[in-house]
Amino acid sequence: MSEMAVSLHGDLETLDLPDVIRLMHVSKKTGAVWVRRLEGGEEREEGVLYFRQGQMVSARTDLSRGEAALQAMAGWEGGQFRFEPGAETEIVDVERETDAVVAGFESAREEWRQLRSLVAHGNVVPRLVSDLGPGRESVEITAEQWRLIPLLDG
């Protein structure tokens, strides 16, 4: 019996990205998962996650790479994905274990959900302020949050 090519593609509302990542990890797949973020039925951005024997090795979007790309993709709610078996990259910009990537992804998704509940619409552009408010002299942020600051467009 000859091997059949298996196609994996779908809608992120049916199978969300953390589940797709888990599937690649558990089945030890090598290839690329292409993700298209849709908003209002129109493509807004594209990203790709590369896996080598189930371990995520690289991530990129139209605007970012590595951990910053993962953070951005965590906020994508609508879209589609497709798996391209055997696709490889020489770039390694995701160094965490896949389980840690998924945990970070889910944490970032929750942060995006909280942010969306505070922002009236997607056209709001965040900006940094110089005044920390009364009684505050400093602010602590994580390395991942620091990497997101250059992506602010305000």
Side-chain angles (χ1 to χ4, degrees):
M1 182 184 284
S2 63
E3 283 189 40
M4 294 176 58
V6 176
S7 174
L8 178 63
H9 58 90
D11 191 303
L12 291 175
E13 290 181 14
T14 303
L15 187 64
D16 69 5
L17 206 45
D19 288 336
V20 173
I21 293 168
R22 281 188 197 97
L23 180 61
M24 296 295 108
H25 180 63
V26 168
S27 58
K28 299 193 181 311
K29 295 293 184 190
T30 295
V33 174
W34 292 88
V35 184
R36 290 181 19 198
R37 179 175 76 95
L38 302 176
E39 191 175 294
E42 294 182 27
E43 182 175 332
R44 295 295 181 195
E45 193 169 0
E46 187 172 61
V48 61
L49 305 171
Y50 284 95
F51 294 85
R52 191 174 298 138
Q53 296 181 351
Q55 180 64 39
M56 185 185 300
V57 294
S58 183
R60 74 171 187 253
T61 68
D62 294 339
L63 302 173
S64 57
R65 292 187 175 277
E67 296 294 331
L70 290 173
Q71 283 281 3
M73 291 171 123
W76 296 3
E77 290 192 335
Q80 301 169 336
F81 71 90
R82 69 177 167 78
F83 176 60
E84 183 182 340
E88 294 194 45
T89 181
E90 296 298 318
I91 299 168
V92 176
D93 51 20
V94 175
E95 309 237 351
R96 293 185 290 160
E97 291 294 319
T98 301
D99 290 339
V101 169
V102 170
F105 202 93
E106 290 177 333
S107 173
R109 289 186 93 183
E110 182 56 32
E111 289 175 15
W112 275 109
R113 283 188 192 101
Q114 290 175 5
L115 182 61
R116 281 192 188 97
S117 73
L118 299 173
V119 176
H121 54 78
N123 294 330
V124 173
V125 178
R127 65 181 175 86
L128 297 176
V129 295
S130 58
D131 182 17
L132 297 178
R136 295 191 74 179
E137 294 185 23
S138 65
V139 174
E140 289 186 31
I141 62 174
T142 67
E144 287 182 34
Q145 292 167 330
W146 180 257
R147 284 190 288 273
L148 291 176
I149 290 175
L151 300 177
L152 293 175
D153 185 20

